[in-house]
Amino acid sequence: MSNRITAIRGFNDILPPESRVLSHIEYTAIEVFTSYGFSEMRLPVVEKTELFSRTLGETTDIVEKQMYTFSDLSGTPLTLRPEGTAGVVRAYIEHALYTKAPIHRLFYRGPMFRYERPQKGRYRQFYQVGVEVLGDEGPFVDAELMEMLSVILERVGVKGAVFEINSLGCPGCRQPFRQRLGGFLEELKERLCGDCTRRMERNPLRALDCKNPTCRELTTNAPDIYDYICEGCSAHFDGLRAALDGFGVPHRVNHRMVRGLDYYTRTAFEAVVDSPRLGAQNTIAAGGRYDGLVKELGGPQTPCFGFAIGMERVALLVDRSLIGEEPLFYLIPLGTEPQQRAAGLASAMRMAGMRCMMETKRGASLKSAMKRADRLGAAYVLLLGEDEMKERSLTVRNMTDGTQRRLPLDTFIEELRQGLP
RNA sequence: GUGGGCGUAGCUCAGUGGUUAGAGCACUGGACUGUGGCUCCAGGGGUCGGGGGUUCGAAUCCCCUCGCCCACCCCA
């Protein structure tokens, strides 16, 4: 047992029935995305390391210590994608999509990888579905996409999500603010917690997000980004709030919210849920605007907005009773002649869109076959034995209430589909 | 990277120095030879996470190690 090969830390096998929850979220999200005009982009899971180190920021945690980086046999440094946006932008430029339409609405899905210590709602391989709008400067789309996200959450039964929004300004106005904030923190250096003194150099904005009560106290009078952002950014943020009101999306301004990636500009947001089911986590989806990224990667200046949903986190909150399942029909043939006949019947049922399984164990007793049907959660058992064959019929047993009736072989599919007994 | 909790059957766990390590659930079969769930009976299944030590004797005590979970950090 101990020398068996197991999956590696933070890489989980997602088995039924849990896998169904993930599929349900993904399916729902894609359906909603599609209704908002998004199309799928299928992207590689591995990219050149440089793509991430350049776009996410050299000093971000992800780039510094969370990337799965390795060299392939040719010696090229590669990285398992830690997030989706960089790849989308890379592909957008590589295929010159900006020459094909002024605005693109794209979505992606799949696993992301970050080397972190796993805990509830956080894994080394985790799944996201995300969207990106490229070529629209907002702020109306920003709000539209948040509204789209709220629709998805509502459909999968996640209650109590709050949208926290903030403006991070643009490179022009963020720089002075950062400096001013750096100076402010410098003076408090001795009294701030260890984490915050470390944050000061790397990313001073993070200190604003510290949970330590002393730090919170000390930073109550910290400079507010609102006093620094330029007119354009300020108008954009006001526009966003108005648009959110227009869409009826409840939101909360959080001037201290910070994003972990450097490429964000202006709008940043998080969908936050306060629930013990999420463990220490509270963000289930997040995103924002990245108006400078396309240009930085060699494309034309292109304003963009996007977000990603953390599927495992949403899975912790979904209302599982909303995940419906088609009834399962379990076909049990008894004897050689019925067995030969059964394959055709099962095939016809499946063709008609019904979910059907057959007892495949040869010579199994009816009792054990019934037991298997029960365990598989069959809604109905279809019994085909010598008696039935003689009168060209089928015994249908309702596994919930135990009632049975005979239906003719020629018409039973029709009858079952019309009204389930 | 740091801290805490936990590793005994497929799962949930009992057993804290003394025969051959147990229970419930699950699995297979039977009672009930064409009828599941409830009941009863039987059966299969264990390097007690791994290694070392103490002891006449270790699942149990000591040391080391690996793994899982949770939290910090950070994030989806």
Side-chain angles (χ1 to χ4, degrees):
Chain A
M1 189 157 108
S2 58
N3 62 359
R4 273 198 221 151
I5 298 171
T6 57
I8 56 184
R9 169 178 293 168
F11 289 68
N12 301 125
D13 301 315
I14 304 167
L15 312 174
E18 185 59 22
S19 54
R20 247 194 94 65
V21 181
L22 272 296
S23 310
H24 177 244
I25 296 166
E26 187 172 294
Y27 177 80
T28 304
I30 289 174
E31 205 173 58
V32 174
F33 292 161
T34 304
S35 75
Y36 279 71
F38 285 82
S39 306
E40 181 166 19
M41 202 178 225
R42 293 225 178 208
L43 298 169
V45 168
V46 184
E47 297 273 4
K48 288 177 186 162
T49 299
E50 193 192 355
L51 174 67
F52 302 114
S53 54
R54 258 173 62 190
T55 58
L56 308 185
E58 294 284 0
T59 63
T60 55
D61 273 31
I62 292 182
V63 172
E64 279 193 340
K65 47 188 193 192
Q66 297 181 350
M67 296 206 302
Y68 276 92
T69 296
F70 57 95
S71 296
D72 69 6
L73 291 179
S74 75
T76 311
L78 303 178
T79 293
L80 261 41
R81 63 179 181 192
E83 60 100 48
T85 301
V88 171
V89 172
R90 194 222 81 227
Y92 174 80
I93 297 168
E94 190 163 333
H95 301 282
L97 296 187
Y98 44 83
T99 64
K100 302 192 169 124
I103 296 179
H104 282 81
R105 292 187 159 217
L106 301 165
F107 74 84
Y108 61 85
R109 54 172 146 167
M112 305 294 162
F113 305 86
R114 292 183 199 172
Y115 187 89
E116 303 177 87
R117 287 293 284 268
Q119 65 185 66
K120 200 175 190 67
R122 200 180 72 181
Y123 313 100
R124 290 183 173 181
Q125 174 173 329
F126 59 101
Y127 293 84
Q128 290 189 336
V129 277
V131 293
E132 314 289 352
V133 175
L134 302 101
D136 190 319
E137 66 181 351
F140 190 79
V141 269
D142 307 22
E144 187 197 9
L145 297 210
M146 286 188 227
E147 187 261 350
M148 175 172 79
L149 173 56
S150 74
V151 168
I152 294 167
L153 294 177
E154 193 186 322
R155 277 212 205 169
V156 297
V158 172
K159 304 217 186 309
V162 174
F163 289 79
E164 297 207 337
I165 59 169
N166 192 18
S167 177
L168 302 176
C170 55
C173 49
R174 182 156 42 182
Q175 206 40 45
F177 170 69
R178 251 182 117 119
Q179 279 183 2
R180 178 72 194 80
L181 182 64
F184 174 84
L185 293 172
E186 187 67 39
E187 287 174 30
L188 299 169
K189 202 172 179 178
E190 271 83 60
R191 292 148 69 197
L192 289 169
C193 71
D195 287 330
C196 280
T197 41
R198 241 170 290 127
R199 287 176 181 125
M200 279 175 50
E201 293 133 42
R202 291 254 212 85
N203 187 351
L205 298 181
R206 287 230 160 280
L208 297 177
D209 215 20
C210 187
K211 286 166 199 120
N212 183 315
T214 323
C215 297
R216 283 209 103 92
E217 177 87 36
L218 288 168
T219 56
T220 35
N221 294 319
D224 190 328
I225 188 159
Y226 263 52
D227 301 328
Y228 290 82
I229 60 173
C230 63
E231 224 171 284
C233 290
S234 181
H236 192 276
F237 194 55
D238 291 342
L240 170 66
R241 284 156 60 178
L244 284 172
D245 287 337
F247 276 112
V249 176
H251 55 281
R252 185 198 293 157
V253 175
N254 179 356
H255 286 192
R256 294 176 164 230
M257 189 182 70
V258 177
R259 306 273 60 232
L261 312 175
D262 281 1
Y263 59 61
Y264 283 110
T265 55
R266 294 192 165 173
T267 309
F269 86 96
E270 289 182 354
V272 172
V273 176
D274 193 21
S275 163
R277 289 206 265 173
L278 282 174
Q281 265 58 245
N282 59 10
T283 306
I284 57 173
R289 183 155 280 289
Y290 47 99
D291 293 342
L293 189 55
V294 174
K295 190 165 185 187
E296 197 180 315
L297 285 177
Q301 168 58 38
T302 310
C304 306
F305 181 92
F307 70 80
I309 300 173
M311 300 233 293
E312 291 88 343
R313 291 190 183 175
V314 173
L316 293 169
L317 300 172
V318 297
D319 182 346
R320 288 164 192 229
S321 70
L322 297 177
I323 305 174
E325 209 168 27
E326 291 292 306
L328 175 67
F329 294 86
Y330 196 83
L331 179 57
I332 304 176
L334 292 171
T336 25
E337 203 190 334
Q339 225 155 44
Q340 280 165 4
R341 190 67 202 274
L345 295 178
S347 159
M349 289 169 74
R350 290 161 182 159
M351 210 97 86
M354 297 159 81
R355 209 153 68 93
C356 173
M357 283 178 81
M358 254 186 297
E359 172 65 34
T360 48
K361 191 168 176 180
R362 288 169 60 96
S365 67
L366 175 57
K367 184 182 175 59
S368 64
M370 286 293 291
K371 215 164 181 169
R372 267 188 286 280
D374 188 45
R375 299 223 53 94
L376 286 164
Y380 300 91
V381 159
L382 308 181
L383 196 56
L384 185 63
E386 303 299 343
D387 298 352
E388 285 85 354
M389 288 296 277
K390 258 178 236 153
E391 62 175 68
R392 301 183 46 76
S393 72
L394 203 56
T395 297
V396 178
R397 180 180 179 87
N398 180 326
M399 293 297 274
T400 313
D401 59 22
T403 56
Q404 296 193 173
R405 60 178 178 154
R406 289 263 175 111
L407 293 178
L409 279 179
D410 300 331
T411 59
F412 81 99
I413 291 180
E414 267 309 295
E415 293 200 41
L416 285 177
R417 288 176 71 194
Q418 270 166 17
L420 293 171

